[in-house]
Amino acid sequence: MGGKVTQILFHAKKIFTEKKQYFCGMKNKGYIVHLCGVIAMIVWGLSFIWSTQVYQNLNPTATIFLRLVVATVFFSAILFIFRLNEKIDRKHLRLFALAALFEPFLYFIFEGYGLKNTSPIIGSAIVAMIPLVTPIAASIFLKEKMTPMNVVGLFVSFFGVVTMLLNKNLELTASPKGIIFLCITVLVAVGYSIALIKLTKLYKPLTITWMQNIIGMIYFIPLVIIMEQFEPSDFGNVRDYIVPLVCLGVFCSAIAYALWAFAYSKLGASKANVYTNLIPVFTAIFSYFIINEELTTQKIIGIILVVGGLVLSQIKGTKPNSNN
């Protein structure tokens, strides 16, 4: 009896040691980087709902401009209080200007008017196509290589997104105008990815996010002056949209972008963008609880496929032979 107890304790100790080594290995591999990516996706999943709520009172252009104002004020305060200011080299201002042109300027314009003509779940699902387009651009501009397992993960995840988009009759119901706007959003996001990966090699994530919000806000000023005719009533019912607007500025345009820039600097464009496949997952879940949108069995299956594809895409394998 004593021998069996000793044997059991020995095996238990062995299992504990193996698990401890596993989790230590995860720490060494930088699991915090992946956690930052997931948190950013949770926040951006909520952004589709918050944006839809604000669009009931303000147009996309005004919403985005005010969102950037909130983000800039928030970030400026953080950088000033904690003395995190980083000197910007003048020769890099063009790269900052290019990144801000892609995102937040063009990205938010097309996403905003795309969401105004579709639902949050459809909008987030189309945006989740970014990982399928990014590797092509990354291989051309950044010379990044993807393993076969990474490619399999991308397509499994994309199939999950498609599953979430279809109804019971395998029909996709959405405004063609909205879909076009959102598809352009995907292309703009890929351009931003290329510019961002270069900036992350030069500056800290906080600096990058702060600068892109300031420049993006400047880009939007002429549009707001030309396109928006603010009425007193727009601000009279501010209580109806102030909370989601502040959430968009602080959480989506500030905190999430900083976390995302950090993940980009560690994972690279192709692997980091795979996390965007989680956006429709979180959007579907939050839509169910916040705005009572139906979460069907088909959507749940899609969620499982998206997560499974994400896991596969992060598995390391043998890289394709570049000599072939």
Side-chain angles (χ1 to χ4, degrees):
M1 182 69 178
K4 289 184 178 180
V5 172
T6 302
Q7 189 176 14
I8 292 173
L9 291 175
F10 173 77
H11 285 296
K13 182 179 179 181
K14 183 179 179 182
I15 293 173
F16 174 77
T17 303
E18 290 175 351
K19 294 295 182 182
K20 183 178 179 181
Q21 291 175 347
Y22 171 76
F23 285 110
C24 288
M26 283 186 65
K27 185 176 181 180
N28 293 333
K29 292 179 181 178
Y31 69 92
I32 292 178
V33 175
H34 299 285
L35 180 62
C36 288
V38 172
I39 293 175
M41 294 310 105
I42 291 174
V43 173
W44 283 338
L46 281 165
S47 74
F48 288 89
I49 299 172
W50 290 331
S51 296
T52 301
Q53 292 173 333
V54 178
Y55 292 158
Q56 294 175 1
N57 298 275
L58 298 176
N59 288 327
T61 304
T63 300
I64 297 162
F65 175 72
L66 293 175
R67 167 180 174 173
L68 293 175
V69 170
V70 172
T72 300
V73 172
F74 173 78
F75 247 121
S76 298
I78 294 295
L79 293 175
F80 176 77
I81 293 172
F82 295 99
R83 298 181 180 180
L84 298 173
N85 295 26
E86 190 175 8
K87 186 177 180 180
I88 305 295
D89 194 323
R90 292 183 64 180
K91 68 181 181 181
H92 296 144
L93 288 177
R94 290 185 178 181
L95 186 56
F96 274 110
L98 178 63
L101 177 65
F102 284 125
E103 197 166 338
F105 186 65
L106 293 175
Y107 182 91
F108 281 165
I109 288 176
F110 289 114
E111 182 194 68
Y113 284 97
L115 277 177
K116 198 171 180 67
N117 291 277
T118 57
S119 69
I121 292 181
I122 289 179
S124 62
I126 293 176
V127 169
M129 292 172 60
I130 292 172
L132 291 178
V133 183
T134 301
I136 300 174
S139 64
I140 295 173
F141 296 103
L142 303 177
K143 308 302 180 184
E144 289 188 7
K145 299 294 183 180
M146 297 291 290
T147 67
M149 189 61 72
N150 297 150
V151 176
V152 171
L154 288 173
F155 279 98
V156 170
S157 199
F158 175 69
F159 183 72
V161 171
V162 173
T163 301
M164 294 174 65
L165 280 174
L166 301 176
N167 59 24
K168 295 180 179 179
N169 298 321
L170 299 180
E171 296 174 342
L172 177 63
T173 305
S175 165
K177 181 179 178 181
I179 292 176
I180 291 173
F181 278 136
L182 290 168
C183 287
I184 296 175
T185 300
V186 172
L187 297 178
V188 169
V190 173
Y192 172 71
S193 300
I194 303 303
L196 178 61
I197 201 65
K198 293 182 179 179
L199 283 172
T200 54
K201 297 177 181 179
L202 300 170
Y203 299 97
K204 297 177 182 178
L206 289 177
T207 303
I208 297 171
T209 309
W210 179 61
M211 282 295 295
Q212 77 178 37
N213 281 327
I214 291 178
I215 298 174
M217 184 176 61
I218 295 173
Y219 284 155
F220 270 101
I221 291 176
L223 280 182
V224 172
I225 295 175
I226 296 172
M227 298 177 60
E228 298 295 335
Q229 298 293 327
F230 288 108
E231 301 291 341
S233 59
D234 294 334
F235 300 98
N237 58 348
V238 68
R239 288 179 296 180
D240 295 337
Y241 61 86
I242 187 62
V243 172
L245 179 62
V246 171
C247 288
L248 285 171
V250 173
F251 294 108
C252 301
S253 290
I255 296 175
Y257 266 107
L259 294 174
W260 190 232
F262 173 69
Y264 250 73
S265 67
K266 302 299 181 182
L267 297 176
S270 297
K271 287 188 177 181
N273 263 329
V274 173
Y275 278 96
T276 58
N277 277 12
L278 287 175
I279 293 178
V281 175
F282 293 124
T283 301
I285 294 172
F286 294 136
S287 294
Y288 174 78
F289 287 104
I290 297 175
I291 59 177
N292 298 321
E293 190 165 349
E294 186 180 6
L295 186 59
T296 63
T297 303
Q298 192 167 328
K299 290 179 181 177
I300 294 175
I301 294 174
I303 290 173
I304 295 173
L305 289 173
V306 168
V307 175
L310 174 61
V311 173
L312 288 175
S313 69
Q314 297 300 317
I315 296 176
K316 292 184 177 180
T318 304
K319 292 185 178 181
N321 191 341
S322 58
N323 296 326
N324 290 340

